[in-house]
Amino acid sequence: MTTTPLPSVTLQEGAPPDDALSTMSLLGPGDSGTQVDISVASEAVQAELTCPACNKAYEIPTEENARDKRPRVLPCLHTVCGECLEMLAKEDVKKKSIRCSRCPEKTLCCPGCNKGVGYTPKNPEVLRCPVCRREALIPGGTVLGFKTNLRIMKLLQMVKMRGEHKLGLLKCVGCDLLAKCHCIECQENYCQRHSDFHDRSRATCDHHLVTIEDVLESHQAFQMLHKRHYCLSHPKELVSLFCTDCEKAVCPRCAIGHHKSHDVTSIEEVYEHIKVKMEELKKRTETKIYNLKQSIVKIKNADRESDVESLAAKRKIQEMTERCINYLKEREMELVKQVNQRCSSNEDVMKIQLTQIEENLTNLNEGQDFINSAFANWTEAEIVAIEDQMIEKLEELAAIETHKYTYPVSRTEFLEQGTREVTAVIKELGQVISEERVRQVISNLGQVSREGTAMGVQLKSA
């Protein structure tokens, strides 16, 4: 049994039913179902066979099936089923249509209920991809203009074949036994006996047979099935040519039929031309990808550097603030020290003054008490005996000047000055001024008044 992989082909969508490839060519003879049970496939394949908009599996189209559930590729390269695209296009038209408030069945504003314009919106021009939300131009105003994803259609065929085999519904074309193998060239299923005969026959010995179990599990079998596509009009003919006039992939029989006078070339040549063009674009995109990745790296590095610089700047700001606070505390201590010194000096002066006053007061009181006591208790002879001493003492006490006794002291007063300058400097701190200027401004903050004033105590003699 030969299992050599075959060369890949590139297909073009949109040929007429009699001469072009269609998704119907993916079905074998007698296929009439549309829905495919994808549970037999792996999770990755199931995700690929599920529409991202409705979350339902794609379907293989048939003539009896009016729904368009085939996978269609948008310009953004996302695949969505045709039914969802129709709904998205209609939704876009509804959003763009203006309906009358009195007659909602009419679009556009009408001058009155009896004069509706009856406007029917044109075919939608754009729709939004349900995956990336990018706008896509609708070819020809119909979603049928979006090309079918042939890879997914081929996967649907493989999953359908595998599911029917699992349920025992896939029969051999030569008998009623369960099919075991599938011929890629003949697109037919055979039981073990007929597949052995098919492999030994001189006419079909070069055909490629794959076991049904290997359709999804074997990468080689998958590639062999995936890369071969057959014409709808001639199911036995491989699509191997490309009509440049119609821009469609065709089989040899179609080339000598409807495309007889057209410029037809090998699809391999077209594929190689497309491949070269794609390689050039790929190199350009790779350069863009590299540049974008480098930009991302640079931005991330710059972001990290910005974070480091931000932390360093915050640390410096905190250190500068702490130093400024220390300057303020130092100035506070200086001002408090000046106040304490001034207060101590005043206290010393006042103590001296108080001592002098108290001494004078004591002398006066003692002299006066002595005289009063002498005249009250002494005899005339005793007073006359010490007359000189008594008169001398009284004259001495009377000579004390108590009528205007003034003792100068310094007043202690705090003048709140320089705060406005400090506020202005703090607002500019860290921008255009140096820390030294902050220190100078803070050193002038506040002042303890040194003004000497006359504070006096006036004693009046009795």
Side-chain angles (χ1 to χ4, degrees):
M1 191 184 307
T2 306
T3 58
T4 305
L6 300 178
S8 61
V9 294
T10 303
L11 304 176
Q12 179 71 25
E13 190 81 11
D18 60 338
D19 64 347
L21 177 69
S22 172
T23 53
M24 287 291 294
S25 64
L26 300 173
L27 301 174
D31 288 329
S32 59
T34 58
Q35 295 184 351
V36 178
D37 181 15
I38 63 175
S39 61
V40 297
S42 63
E43 292 184 0
V45 175
Q46 290 184 33
E48 192 172 358
L49 298 180
T50 303
C51 174
C54 61
N55 203 26
K56 296 180 181 179
Y58 300 113
E59 297 179 3
I60 298 176
T62 60
E63 295 179 357
E64 295 81 7
N65 184 22
R67 295 193 309 171
D68 182 21
K69 290 290 292 183
R70 73 183 71 190
R72 296 190 177 276
V73 183
L74 296 175
C76 58
L77 300 183
H78 289 124
T79 301
V80 185
C81 71
E83 193 174 38
C84 289
L85 292 179
E86 287 283 358
M87 296 177 61
L88 291 171
K90 291 179 181 179
E91 185 67 22
D92 189 67
V93 171
K94 290 179 181 178
K95 290 180 180 179
K96 292 183 178 180
S97 301
I98 304 174
R99 297 187 177 276
C100 177
S101 58
R102 294 188 178 181
C103 41
E105 70 278 1
K106 303 294 183 179
T107 56
L108 296 181
C109 293
C110 60
C113 295
N114 56 345
K115 296 182 180 180
V117 295
Y119 171 78
T120 301
K122 297 180 180 180
N123 291 332
E125 298 179 355
V126 296
L127 56 80
R128 289 187 178 274
C129 172
V131 179
C132 64
R133 306 304 300 167
R134 290 186 180 180
E135 287 190 350
L137 293 175
I138 301 177
T142 172
V143 297
L144 298 178
F146 291 114
K147 296 182 179 180
T148 303
N149 191 324
L150 298 180
R151 169 184 168 79
I152 293 182
M153 294 300 297
K154 199 69 175 181
L155 279 175
L156 285 173
Q157 179 199 17
M158 297 179 189
V159 173
K160 178 176 180 292
M161 183 190 305
R162 188 72 175 84
E164 291 179 350
H165 178 267
K166 183 178 181 180
L167 297 175
L169 302 177
L170 195 64
K171 302 297 183 179
C172 175
V173 296
C175 62
D176 293 333
L177 296 178
L178 182 65
K180 297 291 184 180
C181 298
H182 177 80
C183 177
I184 296 177
E185 284 75 15
C186 299
Q187 291 289 293
E188 292 177 343
N189 305 315
Y190 302 104
C191 64
Q192 190 63 50
R193 183 172 62 88
H194 282 94
S195 63
D196 293 340
F197 175 79
H198 193 79
D199 191 40
R200 292 194 301 269
S201 174
R202 182 177 299 178
T204 58
C205 62
D206 59 342
H207 288 193
H208 297 76
L209 295 172
V210 295
T211 59
I212 305 300
E213 289 82 356
D214 293 341
V215 167
L216 294 178
E217 284 76 6
S218 173
H219 178 72
Q220 186 179 24
F222 175 83
Q223 292 296 327
M224 292 170 62
L225 282 170
H226 177 258
K227 292 183 178 181
R228 300 181 68 85
H229 297 270
Y230 292 85
C231 180
L232 172 64
S233 301
H234 313 99
K236 300 297 182 180
E237 295 291 338
L238 183 68
V239 175
S240 58
L241 301 174
F242 185 83
C243 177
T244 55
D245 294 340
C246 302
E247 295 186 353
K248 298 171 184 176
V250 297
C251 70
R253 292 181 61 181
C254 290
I256 61 177
H258 294 282
H259 301 269
K260 183 177 181 180
S261 59
H262 295 180
D263 184 13
V264 179
T265 183
S266 171
I267 200 168
E268 284 80 7
E269 295 181 6
V270 178
Y271 170 78
E272 291 298 328
H273 175 72
I274 295 176
K275 184 178 179 181
V276 171
K277 186 177 181 179
M278 291 297 177
E279 287 295 332
E280 295 177 357
L281 293 174
K282 185 180 177 182
K283 290 180 181 179
R284 292 171 57 185
T285 56
E286 286 176 351
T287 303
K288 299 290 184 181
I289 292 173
Y290 174 79
N291 293 336
L292 290 176
K293 287 183 177 180
Q294 290 297 112
S295 299
I296 291 174
V297 171
K298 292 179 180 179
I299 291 175
K300 289 183 177 180
N301 291 337
D303 184 51
R304 285 193 292 268
E305 292 177 359
S306 177
D307 292 339
V308 172
E309 292 175 353
S310 176
L311 291 175
K314 291 178 181 178
R315 185 171 61 253
K316 290 181 179 180
I317 291 173
Q318 292 175 352
E319 293 174 354
M320 180 194 66
T321 305
E322 291 176 358
R323 288 194 298 270
C324 292
I325 292 174
N326 291 334
Y327 297 154
L328 287 171
K329 290 183 177 180
E330 291 175 0
R331 181 57 179 167
E332 177 189 9
M333 294 175 64
E334 291 178 3
L335 294 174
V336 171
K337 184 179 179 180
Q338 292 180 19
V339 171
N340 292 335
Q341 290 176 350
R342 185 59 53 82
C343 182
S344 177
S345 176
N346 287 340
E347 287 178 355
D348 294 339
V349 171
M350 290 180 181
K351 284 181 180 179
I352 295 172
Q353 294 176 352
L354 183 60
T355 301
Q356 293 176 354
I357 293 173
E358 288 177 347
E359 289 178 355
N360 292 330
L361 180 60
T362 301
N363 292 332
L364 288 171
N365 288 332
E366 289 178 352
Q368 191 174 20
D369 292 341
F370 180 82
I371 298 298
N372 292 333
S373 176
F375 279 98
N377 301 316
W378 290 15
T379 62
E380 290 83 355
E382 293 173 342
I383 293 174
V384 172
I386 59 171
E387 173 189 1
D388 297 336
Q389 289 86 351
M390 291 178 62
I391 293 175
E392 183 180 358
K393 182 62 176 178
L394 289 175
E395 288 178 353
E396 179 183 351
L397 294 176
I400 297 176
E401 295 183 0
T402 58
H403 60 282
K404 191 176 181 182
Y405 215 119
T406 304
Y407 302 90
V409 295
S410 297
R411 297 184 60 184
T412 302
E413 184 179 357
F414 177 74
L415 302 179
E416 188 177 345
Q417 65 180 21
T419 54
R420 184 176 300 176
E421 289 78 3
V422 171
T423 303
V425 169
I426 289 176
K427 289 182 179 179
E428 301 176 358
L429 188 60
Q431 298 179 2
V432 295
I433 64 172
S434 64
E435 219 174 276
E436 183 62 27
R437 185 184 169 193
V438 177
R439 196 163 191 168
Q440 294 174 357
V441 173
I442 291 177
S443 63
N444 296 326
L445 183 62
Q447 182 179 356
V448 177
S449 175
R450 300 179 181 275
E451 179 182 359
T453 58
M455 292 181 63
V457 179
Q458 184 173 351
L459 300 179
K460 295 184 180 180
S461 58

